[in-house]
Amino acid sequence: MDIELRSGCPINLTMEVMGDRWSLIIIRDIMFGNRRHFRELLTHSEEGIASNILAARLKRLLSLGFISKRDDPSHSQKAIYSLTEPAIQLVPVFAMIGAWGRRHLPVSEELSIRAELLEEGGPPLWDEFMEDLRQIHIVDPIGGANGTCTSAVLAKLTAAFLEVRARSSSQVS
Amino acid sequence: MDIELRSGCPINLTMEVMGDRWSLIIIRDIMFGNRRHFRELLTHSEEGIASNILAARLKRLLSLGFISKRDDPSHSQKAIYSLTEPAIQLVPVFAMIGAWGRRHLPVSEELSIRAELLEEGGPPLWDEFMEDLRQIHIVDPIGGANGTCTSAVLAKLTAAFLEVRARSSSQVS
DNA sequence: GCAACTAGTTTCAAAATGAAATCAGATGGA
DNA sequence: TCCATCTGATTTCATTTTGAAACTAGTTGC
C-alpha cells in the first residue's frame, strides 16, 4: 500500500495520503468521537460510510502508519483502532481546516462548535489535546477505548457539542 | 455544481469541497506559482494533471466561488484565473498541511523549502502573504497575471526555492 | 499563409466508489 | 444447547470518476 509519489511537494504528498473522501473523516471520528471499533466507526458516522470503504481505508491507514490496531481483551473478535503520533499531529491541521470551513461553508451550528472551541483555544489547547490523545491512543489504548482513560479537552468539546444539540432540538419542538 | 452536504461538519464540508486529488493542488499552483492561465496550470504542473481533469476542476472551483475567471486583454482567447477571498484564506491551511507533510511524509528538500519558510514566518508572514494575494488576485488581477503587480513574500518564497534547486542540481553534477 | 499557441472537448479503457447482501466466528441469554 | 445478535469484515455488481491521448476550433505572430 504505497503512496503514489507524483511529486515530493508537502502539499501534494499530504493530498495523496489524506486527499480522498474518507481518510480524514475516519481519523476525525477516532480523534474527536473516540470511536475505536469498526462498528462504532461504521454506524455512528454522520456521513454514512459503506463498510467495504471503511475496511479498505482502515487497512490503508494502518499500512501507512497513521493508525494502529490491537485486539480488545474484552472480546476476542473486537479490534481497537488507535491513532499514531503522526495522526495525533494532525490536530493543528484539523483546527485550521475547521476554522476555514466554518467561515466559508454552510456548516451546522451543532457540528461546528468543536471547531470553534479548537480555534479559540489556539496552540495551547491543541498541545493539551495532543497530550491527552497520546495518553488515550499510545500510552493506554485499551483504557482509552473503554473510557477508563479520558481527556479533559475531549470532555469539554463533547459537552459543548451536546449542549448546542440540546439547545437546538428544544428550539425545534 | 453543488456540494453533497452529507453533514454540516466543517471538516466534512471542507473535504467535500477540497478533498479530491486535484482541487487543492490547482489552488496551490495559482497561489504559490502564480499560474494564471489554463496552459500554465497544465504544463508547469509538477504532478502532471490531465487537461480534461483540469478543465473540470476549474469549472467546479469557479462555480463554488473559490476562483474567478476573466478575459486577458493581451489575447482574446486567454483567460486569467484568480483566487477569491475564500481561497486566499486557505493560506494558514496550506501552512499547516505543509508543516505536517514535511514532518511525516517523504518530501523533497527542493519542494518543501516554501513550506518551511511559511511555517517559520508564522501568522505574521501568512497575513502579509494574504494581503499580497488580495492585491494580485482581487485588486489588480491583470497586473498580477502579467507580473506588473508582484508580491514581496512570493518573491522571497520563489527565491528560496530556486536557490535550493540550484544547490541540489550542482550536487548532482 | 502557416506554424505555434490558446482553452478547452471527446473518446474510451481502467480504476474507484457505494449500496446491499453475505460471511464466519464469538458472545450472551434462555 | 440453541439461537439471536454482534463482531469485523468480504463479495458482488452497477455506477461514477479518473486519466491518457487524440482532437477541435479559434488566435496570434512571423
Side-chain angles (χ1 to χ4, degrees):
Chain A
M1 197 87 60
D2 292 343
I3 60 177
E4 229 185 278
L5 272 182
R6 283 178 202 252
S7 92
C9 166
I11 290 164
N12 174 61
L13 286 171
T14 302
M15 290 313 282
E16 284 187 7
V17 165
M18 297 291 168
D20 72 278
R21 191 61 193 75
W22 294 110
S23 296
L24 214 59
I25 296 294
I26 292 170
I27 293 178
R28 177 204 66 184
D29 285 348
I30 301 177
M31 185 180 282
F32 295 98
N34 203 40
R35 311 211 196 294
R36 308 292 290 275
H37 303 113
F38 188 93
R39 222 24 83 151
E40 289 177 330
L41 286 163
L42 187 67
T43 60
H44 298 151
S45 160
E46 283 284 338
E47 291 87 11
I49 189 171
S51 66
N52 55 343
I53 307 292
L54 176 58
R57 288 300 172 281
L58 285 173
K59 192 179 286 183
R60 182 166 183 271
L61 288 170
L62 204 51
S63 82
L64 289 172
F66 297 121
I67 60 176
S68 66
K69 180 182 178 177
R70 75 202 71 209
D71 292 337
D72 186 333
S74 78
H75 186 306
S76 72
Q77 219 171 8
K78 267 187 180 170
I80 297 176
Y81 292 97
S82 304
L83 301 176
T84 60
E85 181 63 26
I88 289 172
Q89 291 192 18
L90 284 169
V91 166
V93 175
F94 276 118
M96 285 300 183
I97 289 178
W100 184 83
R102 219 161 61 75
R103 283 199 177 73
H104 300 290
L105 298 171
V107 299
S108 69
E109 192 199 351
E110 180 180 330
L111 291 170
S112 62
I113 179 70
R114 282 183 281 214
E116 190 180 341
L117 290 178
L118 217 56
E119 188 182 355
E120 276 174 12
L125 184 72
W126 307 345
D127 287 341
E128 190 188 340
F129 186 38
M130 285 165 69
E131 205 43 60
D132 287 357
L133 289 173
R134 283 182 196 105
Q135 202 62 38
I136 293 176
H137 290 267
I138 297 173
V139 178
D140 183 13
I142 293 164
N146 68 30
T148 307
C149 165
T150 58
S151 153
V153 177
L154 207 49
K156 196 167 101 177
L157 296 177
T158 306
F161 166 70
L162 293 173
E163 198 202 319
V164 173
R165 172 144 78 180
R167 185 143 40 87
S168 50
S169 70
S170 71
Q171 281 177 342
V172 171
S173 60
Chain B
M1 198 84 60
D2 292 341
I3 59 177
E4 228 185 276
L5 270 182
R6 281 180 203 251
S7 92
C9 166
I11 291 164
N12 174 61
L13 286 170
T14 303
M15 289 315 281
E16 284 187 9
V17 164
M18 297 292 169
D20 72 275
R21 193 62 196 74
W22 294 109
S23 296
L24 214 59
I25 295 294
I26 292 168
I27 293 178
R28 177 203 66 183
D29 284 348
I30 301 177
M31 184 180 283
F32 296 97
N34 203 40
R35 313 213 194 293
R36 308 293 291 273
H37 303 113
F38 189 92
R39 224 15 86 156
E40 289 178 331
L41 286 163
L42 187 67
T43 60
H44 298 152
S45 160
E46 282 285 338
E47 290 87 11
I49 189 171
S51 64
N52 54 343
I53 307 290
L54 176 58
R57 288 299 173 281
L58 286 172
K59 193 179 284 182
R60 181 166 183 272
L61 289 170
L62 205 50
S63 82
L64 290 172
F66 297 121
I67 59 176
S68 66
K69 180 183 180 178
R70 76 203 69 210
D71 292 337
D72 185 333
S74 78
H75 186 306
S76 72
Q77 217 174 7
K78 267 187 179 168
I80 297 176
Y81 292 98
S82 304
L83 301 176
T84 61
E85 181 62 26
I88 289 172
Q89 291 192 18
L90 284 170
V91 166
V93 175
F94 276 118
M96 286 298 183
I97 290 178
W100 184 84
R102 218 161 60 78
R103 282 198 178 74
H104 301 289
L105 299 171
V107 300
S108 69
E109 192 198 351
E110 178 179 332
L111 291 170
S112 61
I113 179 68
R114 283 183 282 215
E116 190 179 344
L117 290 178
L118 217 56
E119 188 182 354
E120 275 173 12
L125 184 72
W126 307 345
D127 287 340
E128 190 188 340
F129 186 37
M130 286 165 69
E131 203 45 60
D132 287 357
L133 289 173
R134 284 183 194 103
Q135 202 63 35
I136 292 175
H137 289 267
I138 297 173
V139 178
D140 184 14
I142 293 163
N146 67 29
T148 309
C149 163
T150 59
S151 153
V153 177
L154 206 50
K156 197 167 99 178
L157 296 178
T158 305
F161 166 72
L162 293 174
E163 198 202 320
V164 173
R165 173 144 76 180
R167 185 144 39 87
S168 49
S169 69
S170 71
Q171 282 175 340
V172 171
S173 60

